[in-house]
Amino acid sequence: MPINSDVIAPLGNAELSHRRPAKLDRFWYGAVYYPEHWDAATRKDDAKRMRDAGITIVRMAEFAWDLMEPEEGRFDFSLFDDTIGHLGDHGISTIMCTPTATPPRWLTLKHPHLGRVDVNGVVQIHGTRQHACHMNPVFRQYSRAITQDMAAHWRASTHVVGWQTDNEINCHFSECHCASCQIAFQQFLRRKFAGDIGKLNADWGTAFWAQTYDRFEDIPTPRPEKPAYANPAHHLDYFRYLYDGVARFQHDQVEILRAQKPSWWITHNGIMSHVDYRGLFSQDLDVLGYDVYPMFHWEHTTRAAGQAFSCDRARANAGNFIVPEQQSGPGGQRPYFHDTPEPGELRSMTYTSIARGADSLLYFRWRTCRFGAEEYWCGIIDHDNVPRRRFDEVKRIGAELRAIGPEIMGTHVHVDAAVAGADIHVSDAHSTYHLGLPSDVDISWQVHKELFDAGYAVGCIHPSDDLAGVKLYVIPHWAVFDPAWVPNLTRFVERGGTLVIGARTATRDWNNNVVPDTLPGCLRALAGVTVEEYGKQNRPDLRPLTLQLPGGTELRSENWFEQLSCARGTEVFATWKERHLAGSCAISLRRVGTGHVVYVGTYLTTALAKALQPEFVRLAGLSKLWPDAPAAVQAVRREAVGKRLWFFLNHGEGEVTLASTPRGTDLTTGKSSGGPLTLPRHGVAVIKEASHELPGARKPKARK
Ligand code: GAL
């Protein structure tokens, strides 16, 4: 088998978009299952119970390499054969996983150099998971071999319908500085710079601190603060090397699986650090998986908003996703134990995922295990194997999904207002040189939450993606920025969109160096503004700066100020009040085509996002998705040509009533909708609208 193959091809799904529905023929509903944790009698009963709960698929084997290959070259797939067959007899299909997150002990003993090495030079040892380096050629060879053996073994199975590669690559630890990584990093750079070391020196600015390199073989992986600050261009290219490396590692497996049986669909469960889910990694998959654990959001009052934001960010990468792991109980690990979902809350979290882009969903996990590192990560069924209310809830959802699942497929999530998202290069660049400022993700979350709380159809979209139909688009402080995105943004504005650009956007180039232009660089012409001076507010409490907004509102800025000067045709929208900035422009507004560009010369905060929202709404002509939904209710619409599905989810502490609902059928009850609807705490309605006038939909005949 070839080692370190340089080419990833063919890539089947290059057209990634937030609007892309999953390439699946049905909505799968299921659970993550570990037959290796249970005896034969228990396993026997499981299949019947699963079928009763409406489960149509399980996922298996991601940590079972030691059982399937107990000694090198000796395979025993019998446990999984029996389980797959037995489940299949009950109408339940299987997603198999390549087990490469947990190499067996014989492998790590035979090849101790597989261990990842952290930034301090500490080698990760056997005993947990994800300790082997994806770039190690020996590990890649073993990973290919086990994938090949599993794929060949299950090729003829009619019950295995899809595969998950590995498990949450980079979940615990994403960097590695082992000996293999030194070589693989150098190979990556040689490819990236087409063998031109002079170009690397120029692009990285190696003239600073005597870093000039004569040969690619001389370049180490960067170790920031060992002893001093790293070159940010070197650092970002190291992260890009990690994206490339895990995509290649995964591709080895994808290639083998596709060659064995092209009809298998392939996924991977994210979203973790240093993986480019909008790049090669997801282009290689049929559908991206996103593991949803809302209970990590500790504050229940903002948990639904947090889940919505994470699902929207996931969807921004590659479109609709599947949820290979949806939290089904409290999760516990050595240092924490989550809130226990209240009655109805599991259902509400499930429908939040579905509303915001899930095209299939499996719970983590079928039953809580009594041993090992995750013995308090609760599943649908408790340790004692007694099905209780969580099981009943899963069963209820299973029954509902018989009607809802087929309606979901092929639809996308409707978005009126979006926050820029899904660019790992931008987010990682921030981490290389953050100046002590909040990240793009921190700020996106605040802006998204304000729009979510106010009832707008909010989402996350990458600036190069399809912005058609979107009315408001906010780019919060994307310092690294690709000029190639500007034409798409210009089109968006010319056609009537409102673009909001946060301070410091487009101040750094794709190499992660400061741009030579006057700021905001490649966005200067579109925004019609120049930044004359900028500064960080380290103690805004001691030297406050106030923004004077239209209508007399005054608001303190935090983090950052910019003094703007407006080009002809650009209006001053807000001014600074104090110190040497007094009277100068803080926020500008420019009309372009039938749209607007707002440049905000400070960092967006919750308070500022709240204060500016009415102005953004007015400029963008934004209206609430379902004005009759009370504040506690999340309203989301999934749609396709000729179809609209409405989700209403009550996240409040008590019962709420919507004064009206779309006319159609509530698929959770089968009852007609249109009038008022009362939802209990954690209550959910999924309404299929009877008729509407989406392009392509047949207009209802006029009644006399
Ligand atoms: C996920 C992981 C699972 C399990 C779960 C609960 O991140 O994929 O294997 O660990 O979390 O911790």
Side-chain angles (χ1 to χ4, degrees):
M1 263 183 264
I3 295 177
N4 275 336
S5 74
D6 276 358
V7 185
I8 298 185
L11 297 172
N13 304 306
E15 289 295 310
L16 302 182
S17 165
H18 70 108
R19 286 189 217 277
R20 188 179 75 140
K23 287 177 144 192
L24 296 176
D25 65 350
R26 76 193 76 172
F27 189 100
W28 295 98
Y29 183 59
V32 171
Y33 190 42
Y34 299 100
E36 65 271 32
H37 298 167
W38 306 100
D39 61 25
T42 313
R43 293 198 303 267
K44 193 153 179 271
D45 287 348
D46 283 339
K48 191 181 159 314
R49 268 194 193 151
M50 285 181 186
R51 187 187 56 198
D52 291 349
I55 281 179
T56 56
I57 202 157
V58 297
R59 190 196 73 184
M60 285 194 274
E62 74 272 26
F63 304 124
W65 192 341
D66 60 338
L67 295 179
M68 294 185 289
E69 191 180 6
E71 285 171 42
E72 184 167 0
R74 180 168 75 78
F75 297 97
D76 179 357
F77 296 119
S78 56
L79 172 69
F80 292 97
D81 282 339
D82 291 351
T83 311
I84 291 167
H86 182 57
L87 290 165
D89 291 344
H90 288 74
I92 298 167
S93 301
T94 294
I95 305 170
M96 283 307 276
C97 302
T98 59
T100 40
T102 46
R105 186 61 175 138
W106 56 258
L107 177 50
T108 56
L109 278 173
K110 184 172 174 188
H111 297 287
H113 300 300
L114 298 184
R116 284 171 157 190
V117 175
D118 75 9
V119 71
N120 297 310
V122 176
V123 182
Q124 312 299 295
I125 56 157
H126 198 95
T128 67
R129 61 179 177 181
Q130 295 194 338
H131 39 291
C133 175
H134 298 115
M135 285 43 146
N136 181 299
V138 175
F139 185 56
R140 273 182 75 172
Q141 201 164 11
Y142 277 97
S143 144
R144 277 194 282 260
I146 184 69
T147 306
Q148 178 68 45
D149 288 313
M150 289 176 76
H153 183 79
W154 279 296
R155 179 185 176 168
S157 167
T158 50
H159 302 309
V160 175
V161 293
W163 286 78
Q164 174 185 295
T165 57
D166 201 278
N167 185 76
E168 287 192 349
I169 286 179
N170 290 354
C171 164
H172 302 288
F173 175 48
S174 47
E175 300 191 19
C176 182
H177 299 272
C178 72
S180 302
C181 276
Q182 305 308 314
I183 296 168
F185 179 48
Q186 291 153 7
Q187 288 171 344
F188 166 80
L189 294 173
R190 188 187 292 282
R191 279 197 307 273
K192 178 177 177 197
F193 291 97
D196 184 348
I197 195 75
K199 175 142 175 56
L200 177 142
N201 283 311
D203 284 0
W204 282 12
T206 54
F208 191 81
W209 282 357
Q211 287 171 1
T212 307
Y213 296 105
D214 296 328
R215 309 176 318 157
F216 286 94
E217 298 87 296
D218 299 338
I219 306 172
T221 56
R223 320 235 179 146
E225 272 105 83
K226 309 270 179 250
Y229 301 109
N231 177 331
H234 182 180
H235 203 172
L236 184 58
D237 268 349
Y238 170 67
F239 291 146
R240 289 174 172 147
Y241 151 72
L242 296 176
Y243 318 153
D244 181 79
V246 291
R248 282 168 200 281
F249 175 81
Q250 172 177 263
H251 183 73
D252 290 349
Q253 302 186 354
V254 170
E255 200 170 36
I256 291 164
L257 295 168
R258 292 214 194 284
Q260 280 292 341
K261 195 164 177 179
S263 61
W264 277 332
W265 49 265
I266 305 175
T267 189
H268 175 80
N269 53 341
I271 304 271
M272 304 294 148
S273 331
H274 304 320
V275 181
D276 185 358
Y277 297 106
R278 220 186 127 68
L280 292 177
F281 191 88
S282 301
Q283 290 168 20
D284 219 7
L285 299 170
D286 292 287
V287 60
L288 180 62
Y290 172 49
D291 290 346
V292 180
Y293 287 102
M295 293 300 182
F296 277 111
H297 197 102
W298 299 98
E299 204 179 321
H300 77 270
T301 52
T302 51
R303 191 172 286 148
Q307 187 183 344
F309 178 57
S310 335
C311 289
D312 289 357
R313 286 183 64 217
R315 205 178 66 248
N317 289 289
N320 289 354
F321 47 88
I322 66 168
V323 181
E325 300 178 18
Q326 170 88 29
Q327 181 150 19
S328 65
Q333 213 85 342
R334 191 168 68 97
Y336 63 81
F337 192 58
H338 287 161
D339 287 0
T340 297
E342 296 189 336
E345 198 169 2
L346 191 146
R347 180 167 171 264
S348 166
M349 296 189 297
T350 299
Y351 279 112
T352 297
S353 296
I354 296 174
R356 306 196 85 94
D359 275 354
S360 282
L361 181 140
L362 290 83
Y363 292 102
F364 184 85
R365 50 190 159 164
W366 174 243
R367 186 171 36 242
T368 320
C369 186
R370 287 187 296 101
F371 43 80
E374 302 204 325
E375 57 201 32
Y376 283 98
W377 259 95
C378 300
I380 299 167
I381 298 179
D382 293 317
H383 291 116
D384 59 1
N385 200 23
V386 176
R388 298 191 170 85
R389 67 171 171 84
R390 295 202 304 280
F391 176 83
D392 296 341
E393 222 165 289
V394 166
K395 189 171 171 181
R396 175 180 178 190
I397 301 164
E400 291 168 348
L401 285 173
R402 283 195 195 108
I404 297 169
E407 299 289 356
I408 294 285
M409 302 314 282
T411 64
H412 65 265
V413 181
H414 176 82
V415 175
D416 286 325
V419 185
D423 202 296
I424 188 77
H425 302 257
V426 171
S427 303
D428 277 349
H430 172 84
S431 77
T432 67
Y433 219 116
H434 55 71
L435 299 174
L437 289 164
S439 73
D440 59 300
V441 178
D442 294 334
I443 301 291
S444 302
W445 155 235
Q446 296 178 32
V447 175
H448 186 282
K449 184 176 170 302
E450 287 310 311
L451 290 160
F452 175 90
D453 286 348
Y456 297 106
V458 60
C460 300
I461 304 179
H462 189 270
S464 65
D465 202 344
D466 180 5
L467 292 168
V470 174
K471 295 180 172 141
L472 174 67
Y473 188 60
V474 183
I475 305 177
H477 324 297
W478 278 30
V480 161
F481 202 84
D482 188 345
W485 301 333
V486 177
N488 193 37
L489 297 171
T490 307
R491 262 192 310 278
F492 164 73
V493 178
E494 283 170 347
R495 291 177 188 168
T498 294
L499 173 66
V500 177
I501 303 169
R504 295 194 65 238
T505 300
T507 53
R508 304 175 67 78
D509 66 19
W510 208 244
N511 292 322
N512 207 11
N513 299 319
V514 177
V515 296
D517 316 340
T518 297
L519 303 181
C522 61
L523 289 170
R524 202 172 66 233
L526 183 59
V529 81
T530 56
V531 178
E532 298 302 329
E533 182 179 307
Y534 56 75
K536 187 168 177 218
Q537 293 181 265
N538 289 305
R539 292 296 304 266
D541 53 332
L542 300 182
R543 279 189 172 171
L545 287 176
T546 308
L547 292 150
Q548 296 179 302
L549 302 173
T553 310
E554 295 200 341
L555 203 74
R556 291 274 166 85
S557 67
E558 284 173 37
N559 300 309
W560 191 259
F561 73 83
E562 287 181 0
Q563 187 177 34
L564 308 177
S565 96
C566 295
R568 189 200 292 248
T570 304
E571 296 165 31
V572 174
F573 184 79
T575 50
W576 293 109
K577 189 176 177 188
E578 297 100 345
R579 309 186 77 84
H580 67 293
L581 303 174
S584 53
C585 180
I587 303 178
S588 64
L589 170 64
R590 185 175 179 85
R591 272 159 237 280
V592 178
T594 52
H596 301 87
V597 183
V598 179
Y599 185 92
V600 182
T602 183
Y603 262 54
L604 290 158
T605 56
T606 297
L608 188 55
K610 212 187 270 295
L612 291 176
Q613 190 163 283
E615 295 297 333
F616 295 164
V617 164
R618 185 180 59 78
L619 291 171
L622 206 59
S623 38
K624 299 194 180 194
L625 186 63
W626 190 259
D628 275 350
V633 170
Q634 172 182 191
V636 190
R637 194 168 83 214
R638 287 188 62 158
E639 62 194 24
V641 174
K643 181 188 277 187
R644 278 181 175 174
L645 291 173
W646 294 82
F647 293 76
F648 296 105
L649 301 108
N650 176 14
H651 301 301
E653 290 293 287
E655 184 179 282
V656 291
T657 298
L658 286 80
S660 76
T661 45
R663 201 172 58 75
T665 309
D666 181 348
L667 299 177
T668 66
T669 59
K671 292 187 184 149
S672 311
S673 61
L677 173 74
T678 298
L679 291 172
R681 177 151 48 115
H682 304 304
V684 175
V686 182
I687 291 174
K688 183 177 179 193
E689 193 174 326
S691 66
H692 54 86
E693 298 187 10
L694 276 182
R698 216 181 271 161
K699 288 189 181 166
K701 281 187 189 155
R703 284 202 193 144
K704 290 204 172 160

